[in-house]
Amino acid sequence: MPVARPEQQQPRVIAHVDMDCFYVQVEQRRNPALRGQPTAVVQYNDWKGGGLIAVSYEARGFGVKRSMRGDEAKRVCPGINLVQVPVARDKADLNLYRSAGSEVVAILASKGKCERASIDEVYLDLTDAAKEMLLQAPPDSPEEIFMEAAKSNILGLPSDASEKEKNVRAWLCRSDADYQDKLLACGAIIVAQLRVRVLEETQFTCSAGIAHNKMLAKLVSGMHKPAQQTVVPSSSVQDFLASLPVKKMKQLGGKLGSSLQDDLGVETIGDLLSFTKEKLQEQYGVNTGTWLWKIARGISGEEVEDRLLPKSHGCGKTFPGPKALKNSTSVKGWLDQLCDELSERIQSDLNQNKRIAQTLTLHARASKENERDLAKKFPSKSCPLRYGTGKIQEDAMKLFESGLQDFLESQNTGWIITSLSVTASKIFDIPSGTSSILRYIKGHSPAASPAIPDSSSVPEDPSLGDVP
DNA sequence: CTTGGTAACTTCC
DNA sequence: TGGAAGTTA
Ligand SMILES: Nc1ccn([C@H]2C[C@H](O)[C@@H](COP(=O)(O)OP(=O)(O)OP(=O)(O)O)O2)c(=O)n1
Ligand SMILES: [Mg+2]
């Protein structure tokens, strides 16, 4: 459940940047013949044509949706191009899209604090850069406004006026604006410049929201797409939130949002304003209650983290219906494949970023043989992560066996496995100073933190496996 | 195979 | 802690 953060008083300039139909753009760069065509990315295609995971704007015009099957997409859009996700080790391999995401992050990180929020989204804290611009080169002449910035959408300005771009240019250099709006205008110009650089250097378009906090920036980055940006002046916030359906707010898309609707009769964020902080805290606990009270007022103190890399690496696969795994031999085969991929990815992370993962976790889903929805709780298990593909495979299989024992203690019939995943987490930078290295070794050597609990075999080698 | 599949993040206890 | 649950891409 969401938690409120204390908010600083100084105005910040925050942007949320979200790539347009990202995987499709990655495939369109690989095969330019797909540009401008109705296109979707599908993974696998043997069952009903595969599942769509990204859809171009041309295809959306035909009603094609993510989560449609390939067959269904062909039905509503016979001319659609379906591009398959690469497959390696008999599973989807998303590395192409991860690399493309990193290209974008490298550019967006150049102007201030940057947080990788997902494979295709980042938050930027542009406060310092905006202040700098306001001091050194404030926008003052409508004609000289950077062209991409002049195409911004400004919440609260009429969006259908024939004079729209003129109004935007005027807003961006208003000399009678308050300080916050001036900072926001500078932020919009900086974001426009960054978006142009992303396009020039990667060939990818993106959209963005610019506001005084992450919540508002995120809400509007998707309002005008593709290849557009939207600004949220403080003066527009109240009206904007008043009519916003609760389910559109980040964190309210699931059970909490449904509870607001069903239990409190709240349909829009504005409806939340009629509840006291105490009432919301009573209903949802002090943390979530406070958070709800604040977001209803447009308040969000969450900071942009300075983090360009993911905090964990995982790989998994589902085995639906007839594909379910029915014995330890097939589980081992698949775990070996998953661990092979994971090992490669954490090894790259070590080589390229000098980061080490400390924990290996196995997740699985199981059912009773012949029964489809019952008895699904297969316990997740974790252990210290030892580098080297063979070690990871061995440890993951032990984790599985340990989980299977627990599982069988309650559900004692034939089992089937319907999904498996392995995750490497607790990833740290390798310290670079001599004394920190000593401290690091003392705290993290196998002797100090023994390997698999509850297992008969003893890990032998503290070395890092295939590190160069 | 009845909101897909593969990933990643946060919070709670 | 580790493990479960929830939310989102
Ligand atoms: N359920 C999902 C949602 C997204 N993605 C992947 C494919 C998307 O291309 C990428 C980014 O997700 P977005 O929600 O940002 O969607 P798009 O970037 O495809 O489109 P948009 O232009 O609406 O942002 O993440 C996925 O694999 N599964
Ligand atoms: Mg996107």
Side-chain angles (χ1 to χ4, degrees):
Chain A
M1 258 151 137
V3 168
R5 297 289 172 216
E7 59 281 4
Q8 340 54 251
Q9 297 313 335
Q10 298 299 58
R12 296 174 296 162
V13 176
I14 307 295
H16 179 257
V17 180
D18 185 321
M19 306 308 293
D20 302 319
C21 55
F22 186 48
Y23 292 9
V24 167
Q25 286 203 88
V26 173
E27 297 297 345
Q28 287 174 328
R29 184 174 70 173
R30 277 219 300 196
N31 177 5
L34 299 173
R35 289 187 189 285
Q37 304 296 320
T39 300
V41 174
V42 296
Q43 60 191 351
Y44 315 124
N45 67 355
D46 54 325
W47 191 69
K48 302 190 176 180
L52 273 57
I53 58 177
V55 180
S56 75
Y57 282 78
E58 292 81 6
R60 292 181 205 194
F62 289 83
V64 177
K65 293 283 207 315
R66 169 156 46 225
S67 92
M68 276 182 176
R69 302 286 170 184
D71 293 351
E72 202 181 350
K74 282 280 186 196
R75 216 173 298 133
V76 308
C77 179
I80 196 171
N81 299 284
L82 297 179
V83 183
Q84 283 180 250
V85 171
V87 170
R89 303 174 186 84
D90 296 321
K91 67 177 285 300
D93 179 349
L94 304 182
N95 283 330
L96 179 70
Y97 312 113
R98 289 190 184 96
S99 310
S102 301
E103 292 177 48
V104 174
V105 168
I107 295 164
L108 294 177
S110 63
K111 277 285 173 193
K113 210 184 284 178
C114 177
E115 174 181 334
R116 175 199 193 274
S118 81
I119 198 167
D120 91 321
E121 289 171 281
V122 310
Y123 289 96
L124 304 175
D125 187 331
L126 299 170
T127 308
D128 292 345
K131 285 179 175 169
E132 175 85 356
M133 177 182 287
L134 199 52
L135 244 42
Q136 307 298 332
D140 53 3
S141 141
E143 297 74 36
E144 292 168 23
I145 290 288
F146 188 64
M147 179 167 44
E148 190 57 35
K151 294 192 237 159
S152 297
N153 302 274
I154 316 284
L155 246 56
L157 292 193
S159 64
D160 52 346
S162 58
E163 303 280 81
K164 175 163 178 221
E165 186 177 319
K166 183 169 295 183
N167 292 340
V168 170
R169 287 178 183 274
W171 190 90
L172 289 173
C173 47
R174 266 180 62 193
S175 58
D176 62 337
D178 62 26
Y179 178 62
Q180 294 185 47
D181 278 0
K182 285 181 175 170
L183 278 184
L184 225 44
C186 292
I189 292 166
I190 294 164
V191 168
Q193 291 168 344
L194 284 170
R195 290 180 41 246
V196 168
R197 271 191 64 201
V198 167
L199 180 58
E200 289 173 348
E201 296 177 28
T202 68
Q203 307 176 41
F204 302 143
T205 67
C206 58
S207 300
I210 301 100
H212 290 302
N213 62 49
K214 287 171 78 167
M215 171 192 78
L216 294 167
K218 162 87 181 166
L219 272 174
V220 299
S221 65
M223 178 174 288
H224 297 282
K225 255 181 170 285
Q228 297 180 68
Q229 60 180 53
T230 305
V231 181
V232 190
S234 296
S235 57
S236 71
V237 171
Q238 194 174 341
D239 286 355
F240 171 54
L241 293 180
S243 58
L244 187 78
V246 279
K247 289 277 199 176
K248 301 265 198 228
M249 175 74 59
K250 186 163 184 265
Q251 302 296 313
L252 299 183
K255 297 186 177 184
L256 180 56
S258 298
S259 164
L260 286 172
Q261 297 176 309
D262 301 345
D263 303 331
L264 297 184
V266 166
E267 287 300 334
T268 68
I269 297 296
D271 294 343
L272 268 179
L273 288 170
S274 43
F275 295 86
T276 64
K277 196 189 295 184
E278 291 68 28
K279 171 69 181 169
L280 293 170
Q281 290 174 340
E282 176 195 325
Q283 188 84 16
Y284 294 109
V286 57
N287 286 342
T288 300
T290 307
W291 179 83
L292 287 167
W293 188 87
K294 287 185 172 182
I295 60 125
R297 289 155 182 78
I299 300 169
S300 155
E302 192 190 339
E303 298 219 29
V304 175
E305 305 281 312
D306 193 358
R307 186 174 55 76
L308 307 186
L309 298 170
K311 290 181 163 179
S312 64
H313 299 289
C315 46
K317 181 160 181 63
T318 58
F319 307 95
K323 294 224 170 72
L325 311 183
K326 297 180 164 54
N327 57 60
S328 286
T329 309
S330 57
V331 168
K332 173 154 197 328
W334 279 106
L335 268 186
D336 283 353
Q337 301 273 76
L338 295 171
C339 291
D340 190 47
E341 181 187 327
L342 185 66
S343 179
E344 182 175 290
R345 285 167 51 198
I346 63 178
Q347 195 62 50
S348 306
D349 199 352
L350 174 56
N351 295 337
Q352 297 174 20
N353 308 312
K354 301 283 181 273
R355 301 197 308 166
I356 289 206
Q358 292 199 337
T359 302
L360 176 70
T361 305
L362 175 129
H363 292 267
R365 282 167 71 90
S367 302
K368 290 173 66 170
E369 218 174 8
N370 301 333
E371 278 167 61
R372 57 217 187 288
D373 214 50
L374 270 62
K376 277 225 254 248
K377 295 280 101 92
F378 194 97
S380 67
K381 296 279 168 184
S382 57
C383 71
L385 193 156
R386 301 182 298 152
Y387 274 66
T389 304
K391 300 245 195 349
I392 295 172
Q393 289 169 336
E394 202 179 300
D395 291 348
M397 193 61 201
K398 284 180 193 148
L399 292 174
F400 174 78
E401 281 159 355
S402 162
L404 185 59
Q405 292 221 338
D406 294 3
F407 180 73
L408 291 179
E409 270 164 30
S410 35
Q411 287 302 325
N412 205 337
T413 59
W415 49 271
I416 61 172
I417 294 297
T418 55
S419 88
L420 284 175
S421 75
V422 287
T423 300
S425 62
K426 299 191 170 58
I427 303 179
F428 296 99
D429 290 347
I430 296 177
S432 52
T434 312
S435 65
S436 356
I437 289 176
L438 279 175
R439 240 180 294 124
Y440 175 81
I441 291 174
K442 287 188 203 304
H444 297 259
S445 69
S449 54
I452 313 235
D454 173 349
S455 154
S456 49
S457 125
V458 179
E460 68 294 341
D461 186 0
S463 83
L464 262 30
D466 31 26
V467 178

